[in-house]
Every structure is written in C-alpha cells, then in structure tokens.
C-alpha cells in the first residue's frame, strides 16, 4: 500500500509568521524516515499505511501543543492506493514526461 498525505498544519493563535512552528513539524516528518516534499502551502509525505499517516498528523498536533499553541488549524488530503510505495516522485515524473 502507498498513502500520500498532503498536510498543512499551523496555529491560529500565534501571530502571522509560522516558520517557527512549521519547522519543528517538518523536522519530525524528516526524522520519521518517510519520504516527504515541502511546499509553500504544506508538506506531502508518503507512508506505507494509513495508520502511519495518521500518526504523523497526531505527532504534528502534539508538537504544536507543546509549543503553547491553543488553537491549531489542519487540512489533510489522502491518496490511498494498493501497490508499492514510491509514488511521491513517480507521480511528478509521469506528468513531467507528458509535458516534456
């Protein structure tokens, strides 16, 4: 199985600059060993199971709570597919292959 999780999570009660809150979440994702891609609007992570993806969301929320965030906003999109992992790069390459 391959689960692509597109996650955006940040506090609503900590001002307008979010990098000091986003950075520890991205570090946790990096340290999880799962492949990931950071974008300006969120982070996409590939896991082998849905519980692994849900654990990343729970850990991200716990990090923000530990940093004193009392209100957290999150959006999560999932692409869950039977088959091997490796779609984080393969999906992008498939599109690039079609546009040249």
């Amino acid at each position: 199985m391959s689960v692509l999780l597109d996650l955006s999570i940040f506090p609503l009660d900590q001002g307008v600059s979010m990098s000091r809150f986003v950075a520890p979440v991205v570090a946790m994702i990096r340290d999880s060993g799962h492949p990931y891609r950071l974008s300006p609007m969120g982070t996409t992570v590939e896991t082998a199971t849905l519980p692994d993806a849900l654990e990343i969301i729970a850990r991200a929320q716990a990090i923000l709570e530990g940093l004193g965030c009392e209100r957290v906003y999150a959006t999560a999109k999932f692409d869950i597919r039977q088959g091997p992992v490796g779609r984080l790069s393969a999906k992008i390459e498939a599109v690039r292959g079609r546009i040249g």
Side-chain angles (χ1 to χ4, degrees):
M1 174 181 283
S2 168
V3 178
L4 294 179
L5 162 64
D6 187 38
L7 178 63
S8 178
I9 185 166
F10 53 88
L12 293 177
D13 60 344
Q14 299 294 325
V16 296
S17 178
M18 294 294 111
S19 62
R20 71 181 190 267
F21 298 100
V22 172
V25 171
V26 174
M28 175 273 295
I29 292 169
R30 179 199 62 209
D31 295 345
S32 75
H34 296 293
Y36 73 97
R37 290 232 167 113
L38 180 63
S39 78
M41 299 295 290
T43 305
T44 304
V45 185
E46 183 171 18
T47 65
T49 68
L50 183 57
D52 289 342
L54 296 172
E55 175 66 18
I56 286 173
I57 297 169
R59 290 176 63 193
Q61 187 280 327
I63 287 168
L64 295 177
E65 183 178 351
L67 292 172
C69 303
E70 294 183 10
R71 187 173 182 190
V72 172
Y73 179 85
T75 61
K77 297 186 292 185
F78 298 92
D79 179 354
I80 304 165
R81 183 175 179 182
Q82 298 301 317
V85 296
R87 294 186 310 130
L88 187 64
S89 297
K91 290 180 71 133
I92 293 169
E93 293 307 315
V95 172
R96 285 185 177 149
R98 291 183 180 269
I99 62 174

